[in-house]
Amino acid sequence: MKILLIMDPGIPVPPLTYGGHERLVYMFAEEFTKLGHQVSLLAGPNSVVTGKVHAFGSNNLKRSKWQKTKELLFVWKFLSVNKKNFDLVHNFGRLAYLIPILNISVGKIMTYGRPVSKNGIRIITSMPYKNLIFTACSDYCVGTGNVAGLWKTVYNAIDFSKYQLQEKVNIDAPLMFLGRLDKVKGVHHAINIAIKSGSTLFIGGNIPDTQDNLEYYEKMLKPFFDGKQIIYLGALNDHEKNKYLGMSKALLFPIDWNEPFGMVMLEAMACGTPVIAFNKGSVKEIISNGENGFIVHNEEEMLNILPKIATINRALCRATVEKKYDIKIVANDYLAIFKDDK
């Protein structure tokens, strides 16, 4: 089968550090190739996969509206010229990319990793269309956009072979926070938990570049970075994430928003590291209390549950998610959706 994967420019595929969807697209491209399919990728400059890459646009997350318009026109031209060259177009980018092939027979999967614009779904499904399936990375995320069309939940994935299980850590091992240092990610909650519990806290993630979040970082996070108890590690690559997650007794995920999925939870569990998370968004779909972590509602509950982390079997923690979220499983889930719709 000939498969075209589409990803917005802005961050190359695969990303060097931050870039959740770009990482997913790379893994799917490689897994589809291993399964014997011919894979092409339409993505930003410097993208690399085993299949054929068609680069377009600019790797700049702050690029102008005019630049994004030019990118849209490029994709429209590409799809118009090559619409008969693919059996499946799997789009992780803008929904509008699909307009030139909306009403032709080629299979189309539109995948979302964040809350969905209902207006966009209504507009697209008001047009004539064929063989279009919408997917999102959690039941929660599907629920944000399921106003028209055919929807399926297909969870995000990681390559478990890239993560090393650490079956034992010391009782005084560090806690960890991993993610963007934005206010909605709740880094300040993690710092409070570490200080109140007397624990060391590793923090890995990008420093914000938006004005409100940069101010949050400067006032509410940076003053606590002492290099001894609260240790900021910077933006981590895959090797570093594997190292520090494996050293930690728990990942803290104290989100202040409805996270559509949260791949860092899987990355932690793949190392055997359980997750303690606030009950928002997709958290209850991923965490099984007492098996791979705990779901709580506030800082007090998070602090009180810390002693129970030692009761979790770290090998079982990994096993509970590997059988559901490994890239081999999820890639076949997507192919099954396409085949079922034929």
Side-chain angles (χ1 to χ4, degrees), residues 11 17-21 61 113-114 177-188 203-210 213 216-217 221 225 232 234-236 252-255 257 259-260 262 264:
I11 298 173
T17 52
Y18 173 74
H21 247 49
L61 292 177
R114 57 180 62 89
F177 173 92
L178 180 60
R180 297 194 318 271
L181 306 190
D182 291 354
K183 187 173 183 179
V184 296
K185 298 289 188 175
V187 199
H188 56 290
I203 298 175
N206 295 64
I207 295 174
D209 55 8
T210 60
N213 282 308
Y216 161 76
Y217 165 80
L221 303 183
F225 296 171
Y232 176 55
L236 305 182
L252 302 185
F253 196 68
I255 49 175
W257 76 306
E259 182 83 48
V264 295

Short mmCIF file of all heavy atoms in Angstrom, two decimals, residues 11 17-21 61 113-114 177-188 203-210 213 216-217 221 225 232 234-236 252-255 257 259-260 262 264:
data_model
loop_
_atom_site.label_atom_id
_atom_site.label_comp_id
_atom_site.label_asym_id
_atom_site.label_seq_id
_atom_site.Cartn_x
_atom_site.Cartn_y
_atom_site.Cartn_z
N ILE A 11 8.38 22.25 13.01
CA ILE A 11 9.37 21.40 13.68
C ILE A 11 9.65 20.23 12.74
O ILE A 11 8.72 19.65 12.20
CB ILE A 11 8.84 20.87 15.03
CG1 ILE A 11 8.53 22.03 15.98
CG2 ILE A 11 9.84 19.92 15.67
CD1 ILE A 11 7.85 21.61 17.26
N THR A 17 14.13 17.64 20.20
CA THR A 17 13.71 17.64 21.61
C THR A 17 12.18 17.68 21.66
O THR A 17 11.53 16.66 21.59
CB THR A 17 14.31 18.84 22.38
OG1 THR A 17 14.03 20.06 21.68
CG2 THR A 17 15.81 18.69 22.52
N TYR A 18 11.61 18.89 21.76
CA TYR A 18 10.17 19.02 21.86
C TYR A 18 9.51 18.78 20.50
O TYR A 18 10.02 19.20 19.48
CB TYR A 18 9.80 20.42 22.38
CG TYR A 18 8.32 20.70 22.34
CD1 TYR A 18 7.48 20.12 23.26
CD2 TYR A 18 7.78 21.52 21.35
CE1 TYR A 18 6.11 20.35 23.21
CE2 TYR A 18 6.43 21.77 21.29
CZ TYR A 18 5.59 21.18 22.23
OH TYR A 18 4.24 21.41 22.17
N GLY A 19 8.35 18.13 20.51
CA GLY A 19 7.61 17.89 19.27
C GLY A 19 6.87 16.57 19.32
O GLY A 19 7.32 15.58 18.73
N GLY A 20 5.76 16.54 20.03
CA GLY A 20 5.03 15.29 20.24
C GLY A 20 4.47 14.68 18.97
O GLY A 20 4.69 13.50 18.68
N HIS A 21 3.75 15.47 18.17
CA HIS A 21 3.14 14.93 16.96
C HIS A 21 4.20 14.61 15.91
O HIS A 21 4.06 13.63 15.17
CB HIS A 21 2.11 15.92 16.40
CG HIS A 21 0.72 15.40 16.50
ND1 HIS A 21 0.21 14.86 17.65
CD2 HIS A 21 -0.28 15.29 15.58
CE1 HIS A 21 -1.04 14.46 17.45
NE2 HIS A 21 -1.36 14.70 16.20
N LEU A 61 7.88 28.07 14.44
CA LEU A 61 6.55 28.00 15.07
C LEU A 61 5.86 29.36 15.12
O LEU A 61 4.65 29.43 15.35
CB LEU A 61 6.69 27.43 16.49
CG LEU A 61 7.11 25.95 16.56
CD1 LEU A 61 7.28 25.52 18.02
CD2 LEU A 61 6.11 25.05 15.85
N GLY A 113 -4.42 15.62 17.83
CA GLY A 113 -3.73 15.40 19.09
C GLY A 113 -4.01 16.50 20.09
O GLY A 113 -3.36 16.60 21.13
N ARG A 114 -4.99 17.33 19.78
CA ARG A 114 -5.37 18.43 20.67
C ARG A 114 -6.86 18.68 20.52
O ARG A 114 -7.49 18.14 19.60
CB ARG A 114 -4.58 19.70 20.33
CG ARG A 114 -4.74 20.15 18.89
CD ARG A 114 -3.95 21.42 18.61
NE ARG A 114 -2.54 21.24 18.79
CZ ARG A 114 -1.71 20.83 17.84
NH1 ARG A 114 -2.18 20.55 16.63
NH2 ARG A 114 -0.42 20.70 18.07
N PHE A 177 9.42 15.99 36.82
CA PHE A 177 8.45 16.67 35.97
C PHE A 177 9.06 16.75 34.59
O PHE A 177 10.23 17.12 34.43
CB PHE A 177 8.12 18.08 36.47
CG PHE A 177 7.24 18.83 35.51
CD1 PHE A 177 5.86 18.80 35.64
CD2 PHE A 177 7.79 19.55 34.44
CE1 PHE A 177 5.05 19.46 34.72
CE2 PHE A 177 6.98 20.20 33.53
CZ PHE A 177 5.60 20.16 33.68
N LEU A 178 8.26 16.43 33.56
CA LEU A 178 8.75 16.49 32.18
C LEU A 178 7.67 17.11 31.30
O LEU A 178 6.54 16.62 31.25
CB LEU A 178 9.08 15.09 31.68
CG LEU A 178 9.62 14.95 30.26
CD1 LEU A 178 10.92 15.72 30.09
CD2 LEU A 178 9.84 13.47 29.92
N GLY A 179 8.01 18.20 30.62
CA GLY A 179 7.05 18.86 29.74
C GLY A 179 7.38 20.33 29.58
O GLY A 179 8.34 20.84 30.18
N ARG A 180 6.60 21.00 28.75
CA ARG A 180 6.80 22.44 28.59
C ARG A 180 6.60 23.13 29.94
O ARG A 180 5.74 22.75 30.73
CB ARG A 180 5.79 23.04 27.59
CG ARG A 180 5.92 22.51 26.19
CD ARG A 180 5.13 23.39 25.20
NE ARG A 180 3.84 23.80 25.71
CZ ARG A 180 2.72 23.11 25.56
NH1 ARG A 180 2.74 21.93 24.97
NH2 ARG A 180 1.57 23.57 26.02
N LEU A 181 7.38 24.17 30.19
CA LEU A 181 7.30 24.87 31.46
C LEU A 181 6.24 25.97 31.39
O LEU A 181 6.46 27.12 31.78
CB LEU A 181 8.66 25.44 31.85
CG LEU A 181 9.82 24.45 31.90
CD1 LEU A 181 11.05 25.07 32.52
CD2 LEU A 181 9.43 23.18 32.65
N ASP A 182 5.06 25.61 30.89
CA ASP A 182 3.92 26.52 30.82
C ASP A 182 3.07 26.37 32.08
O ASP A 182 3.06 25.30 32.72
CB ASP A 182 3.05 26.19 29.60
CG ASP A 182 3.74 26.52 28.29
OD1 ASP A 182 4.84 27.10 28.31
OD2 ASP A 182 3.17 26.18 27.23
N LYS A 183 2.33 27.41 32.40
CA LYS A 183 1.54 27.38 33.64
C LYS A 183 0.54 26.24 33.66
O LYS A 183 0.33 25.60 34.69
CB LYS A 183 0.83 28.72 33.82
CG LYS A 183 0.13 28.84 35.18
CD LYS A 183 -0.42 30.24 35.40
CE LYS A 183 -1.03 30.34 36.80
NZ LYS A 183 -1.57 31.69 37.06
N VAL A 184 -0.11 25.94 32.50
CA VAL A 184 -1.14 24.90 32.49
C VAL A 184 -0.57 23.51 32.76
O VAL A 184 -1.31 22.59 33.12
CB VAL A 184 -1.90 24.87 31.15
CG1 VAL A 184 -2.67 26.16 30.95
CG2 VAL A 184 -0.97 24.58 29.98
N LYS A 185 0.75 23.36 32.62
CA LYS A 185 1.38 22.07 32.89
C LYS A 185 1.60 21.84 34.39
O LYS A 185 1.91 20.72 34.80
CB LYS A 185 2.71 21.96 32.16
CG LYS A 185 2.59 22.01 30.64
CD LYS A 185 1.95 20.76 30.08
CE LYS A 185 2.00 20.73 28.56
NZ LYS A 185 1.49 19.47 27.99
N GLY A 186 1.48 22.90 35.18
CA GLY A 186 1.48 22.73 36.64
C GLY A 186 2.83 22.50 37.27
O GLY A 186 2.92 21.84 38.31
N VAL A 187 3.90 23.03 36.68
CA VAL A 187 5.24 22.81 37.23
C VAL A 187 5.34 23.31 38.67
O VAL A 187 6.01 22.71 39.51
CB VAL A 187 6.33 23.49 36.38
CG1 VAL A 187 7.68 22.89 36.66
CG2 VAL A 187 5.98 23.44 34.90
N HIS A 188 4.64 24.42 38.96
CA HIS A 188 4.69 24.97 40.32
C HIS A 188 4.12 24.00 41.34
O HIS A 188 4.58 23.94 42.48
CB HIS A 188 3.93 26.31 40.37
CG HIS A 188 2.51 26.26 39.92
ND1 HIS A 188 2.14 26.05 38.60
CD2 HIS A 188 1.34 26.36 40.61
CE1 HIS A 188 0.83 26.06 38.50
NE2 HIS A 188 0.32 26.21 39.71
N ILE A 203 13.49 18.51 36.74
CA ILE A 203 12.58 19.19 35.83
C ILE A 203 13.20 19.22 34.45
O ILE A 203 14.29 19.75 34.26
CB ILE A 203 12.27 20.63 36.29
CG1 ILE A 203 11.58 20.61 37.65
CG2 ILE A 203 11.41 21.36 35.26
CD1 ILE A 203 11.33 21.99 38.23
N GLY A 204 12.51 18.62 33.47
CA GLY A 204 12.97 18.66 32.09
C GLY A 204 11.93 19.29 31.20
O GLY A 204 10.75 18.94 31.30
N GLY A 205 12.34 20.22 30.36
CA GLY A 205 11.37 20.85 29.47
C GLY A 205 11.86 22.17 28.91
O GLY A 205 12.87 22.72 29.35
N ASN A 206 11.14 22.66 27.92
CA ASN A 206 11.49 23.90 27.24
C ASN A 206 11.06 25.11 28.05
O ASN A 206 9.95 25.17 28.60
CB ASN A 206 10.80 23.97 25.87
CG ASN A 206 11.29 22.89 24.93
OD1 ASN A 206 11.11 21.72 25.18
ND2 ASN A 206 11.90 23.31 23.83
N ILE A 207 11.91 26.12 28.10
CA ILE A 207 11.53 27.41 28.68
C ILE A 207 10.52 28.07 27.75
O ILE A 207 10.72 28.09 26.54
CB ILE A 207 12.77 28.30 28.87
CG1 ILE A 207 13.70 27.66 29.91
CG2 ILE A 207 12.38 29.71 29.31
CD1 ILE A 207 15.02 28.40 30.08
N PRO A 208 9.43 28.62 28.28
CA PRO A 208 8.38 29.19 27.43
C PRO A 208 8.89 30.38 26.63
O PRO A 208 9.85 31.06 27.00
CB PRO A 208 7.31 29.64 28.44
CG PRO A 208 7.62 28.93 29.71
CD PRO A 208 9.09 28.71 29.71
N ASP A 209 8.19 30.65 25.51
CA ASP A 209 8.53 31.83 24.72
C ASP A 209 7.35 32.78 24.55
O ASP A 209 7.48 33.83 23.92
CB ASP A 209 9.09 31.44 23.35
CG ASP A 209 8.15 30.53 22.57
OD1 ASP A 209 7.01 30.32 23.02
OD2 ASP A 209 8.56 30.03 21.50
N THR A 210 6.18 32.44 25.10
CA THR A 210 5.07 33.38 25.10
C THR A 210 5.19 34.28 26.33
O THR A 210 5.70 33.84 27.38
CB THR A 210 3.72 32.66 25.12
OG1 THR A 210 3.62 31.85 26.30
CG2 THR A 210 3.57 31.76 23.89
N ASN A 213 3.59 33.02 29.75
CA ASN A 213 4.27 31.86 30.32
C ASN A 213 5.72 32.15 30.68
O ASN A 213 6.25 31.56 31.64
CB ASN A 213 4.19 30.67 29.36
CG ASN A 213 2.83 30.01 29.40
OD1 ASN A 213 2.33 29.64 30.45
ND2 ASN A 213 2.21 29.87 28.23
N TYR A 216 5.51 33.71 34.00
CA TYR A 216 5.26 32.63 34.97
C TYR A 216 6.56 31.91 35.30
O TYR A 216 6.88 31.67 36.48
CB TYR A 216 4.24 31.67 34.38
CG TYR A 216 4.20 30.30 35.00
CD1 TYR A 216 3.59 30.07 36.24
CD2 TYR A 216 4.75 29.20 34.34
CE1 TYR A 216 3.55 28.80 36.81
CE2 TYR A 216 4.71 27.93 34.89
CZ TYR A 216 4.11 27.73 36.12
OH TYR A 216 4.07 26.47 36.67
N TYR A 217 7.34 31.58 34.28
CA TYR A 217 8.62 30.89 34.48
C TYR A 217 9.57 31.74 35.33
O TYR A 217 10.19 31.23 36.29
CB TYR A 217 9.24 30.58 33.13
CG TYR A 217 10.71 30.21 33.20
CD1 TYR A 217 11.09 28.93 33.57
CD2 TYR A 217 11.70 31.15 32.90
CE1 TYR A 217 12.44 28.59 33.65
CE2 TYR A 217 13.04 30.82 32.97
CZ TYR A 217 13.40 29.54 33.35
OH TYR A 217 14.73 29.21 33.44
N LEU A 221 8.91 29.81 38.86
CA LEU A 221 9.70 28.59 38.72
C LEU A 221 11.19 28.84 38.95
O LEU A 221 11.80 28.23 39.83
CB LEU A 221 9.50 27.98 37.32
CG LEU A 221 8.07 27.65 36.89
CD1 LEU A 221 8.07 27.00 35.52
CD2 LEU A 221 7.36 26.77 37.90
N PHE A 225 14.93 27.08 41.33
CA PHE A 225 15.95 26.19 40.75
C PHE A 225 17.28 26.41 41.49
O PHE A 225 17.97 27.40 41.28
CB PHE A 225 16.15 26.49 39.26
CG PHE A 225 14.93 26.20 38.41
CD1 PHE A 225 14.90 26.60 37.07
CD2 PHE A 225 13.82 25.55 38.91
CE1 PHE A 225 13.79 26.33 36.27
CE2 PHE A 225 12.71 25.29 38.12
CZ PHE A 225 12.70 25.69 36.80
N TYR A 232 16.82 21.90 37.44
CA TYR A 232 16.35 22.08 36.07
C TYR A 232 17.37 21.49 35.11
O TYR A 232 18.54 21.89 35.10
CB TYR A 232 16.13 23.56 35.77
CG TYR A 232 15.73 23.81 34.32
CD1 TYR A 232 14.65 23.16 33.77
CD2 TYR A 232 16.46 24.69 33.53
CE1 TYR A 232 14.28 23.36 32.44
CE2 TYR A 232 16.11 24.92 32.20
CZ TYR A 232 15.02 24.24 31.67
OH TYR A 232 14.66 24.44 30.35
N GLY A 234 16.93 21.29 31.68
CA GLY A 234 16.84 21.79 30.31
C GLY A 234 15.90 20.93 29.48
O GLY A 234 15.20 20.05 29.98
N ALA A 235 15.88 21.22 28.17
CA ALA A 235 15.09 20.41 27.24
C ALA A 235 15.85 19.11 26.98
O ALA A 235 17.02 19.13 26.63
CB ALA A 235 14.86 21.17 25.94
N LEU A 236 15.18 17.97 27.16
CA LEU A 236 15.85 16.68 27.11
C LEU A 236 15.63 15.97 25.78
O LEU A 236 14.53 15.98 25.23
CB LEU A 236 15.35 15.78 28.24
CG LEU A 236 15.46 16.34 29.66
CD1 LEU A 236 14.97 15.32 30.67
CD2 LEU A 236 16.89 16.76 29.98
N LEU A 252 5.53 13.37 38.22
CA LEU A 252 4.40 14.20 38.64
C LEU A 252 3.79 14.85 37.40
O LEU A 252 4.51 15.44 36.59
CB LEU A 252 4.84 15.25 39.65
CG LEU A 252 5.49 14.72 40.93
CD1 LEU A 252 5.78 15.87 41.90
CD2 LEU A 252 4.63 13.66 41.61
N PHE A 253 2.47 14.76 37.29
CA PHE A 253 1.75 15.29 36.12
C PHE A 253 0.57 16.13 36.63
O PHE A 253 -0.59 15.77 36.44
CB PHE A 253 1.27 14.10 35.27
CG PHE A 253 0.86 14.45 33.86
CD1 PHE A 253 1.79 14.88 32.93
CD2 PHE A 253 -0.46 14.32 33.46
CE1 PHE A 253 1.41 15.18 31.63
CE2 PHE A 253 -0.85 14.61 32.16
CZ PHE A 253 0.09 15.04 31.24
N PRO A 254 0.89 17.26 37.27
CA PRO A 254 -0.14 18.06 37.96
C PRO A 254 -0.76 19.12 37.05
O PRO A 254 -0.71 20.32 37.30
CB PRO A 254 0.64 18.70 39.10
CG PRO A 254 2.02 18.89 38.52
CD PRO A 254 2.25 17.79 37.53
N ILE A 255 -1.40 18.68 35.98
CA ILE A 255 -1.88 19.58 34.94
C ILE A 255 -3.04 20.44 35.42
O ILE A 255 -3.89 20.01 36.19
CB ILE A 255 -2.30 18.79 33.68
CG1 ILE A 255 -3.23 17.62 34.06
CG2 ILE A 255 -1.08 18.29 32.93
CD1 ILE A 255 -3.79 16.86 32.88
N TRP A 257 -5.02 21.87 33.06
CA TRP A 257 -5.88 21.96 31.88
C TRP A 257 -6.24 20.54 31.47
O TRP A 257 -5.71 19.56 32.00
CB TRP A 257 -5.17 22.70 30.74
CG TRP A 257 -4.10 21.93 30.02
CD1 TRP A 257 -3.02 21.28 30.56
CD2 TRP A 257 -4.01 21.71 28.61
NE1 TRP A 257 -2.26 20.69 29.59
CE2 TRP A 257 -2.84 20.92 28.38
CE3 TRP A 257 -4.78 22.11 27.52
CZ2 TRP A 257 -2.45 20.54 27.11
CZ3 TRP A 257 -4.37 21.72 26.26
CH2 TRP A 257 -3.22 20.95 26.05
N GLU A 259 -5.59 17.94 29.40
CA GLU A 259 -4.56 17.40 28.50
C GLU A 259 -5.18 16.36 27.57
O GLU A 259 -5.80 15.40 28.03
CB GLU A 259 -3.46 16.75 29.32
CG GLU A 259 -2.32 16.19 28.53
CD GLU A 259 -1.29 17.24 28.15
OE1 GLU A 259 -0.88 18.02 29.03
OE2 GLU A 259 -0.90 17.27 26.97
N PRO A 260 -5.02 16.53 26.24
CA PRO A 260 -5.63 15.57 25.31
C PRO A 260 -5.07 14.15 25.45
O PRO A 260 -5.77 13.18 25.24
CB PRO A 260 -5.31 16.15 23.94
CG PRO A 260 -5.05 17.60 24.18
CD PRO A 260 -4.43 17.68 25.54
N GLY A 262 -0.96 13.29 26.70
CA GLY A 262 0.15 13.31 27.65
C GLY A 262 1.12 12.17 27.44
O GLY A 262 1.18 11.22 28.21
N VAL A 264 4.20 12.01 27.87
CA VAL A 264 5.21 11.85 28.91
C VAL A 264 4.79 10.79 29.93
O VAL A 264 5.66 10.15 30.55
CB VAL A 264 5.51 13.19 29.63
CG1 VAL A 264 6.15 14.18 28.67
CG2 VAL A 264 4.27 13.77 30.27
#
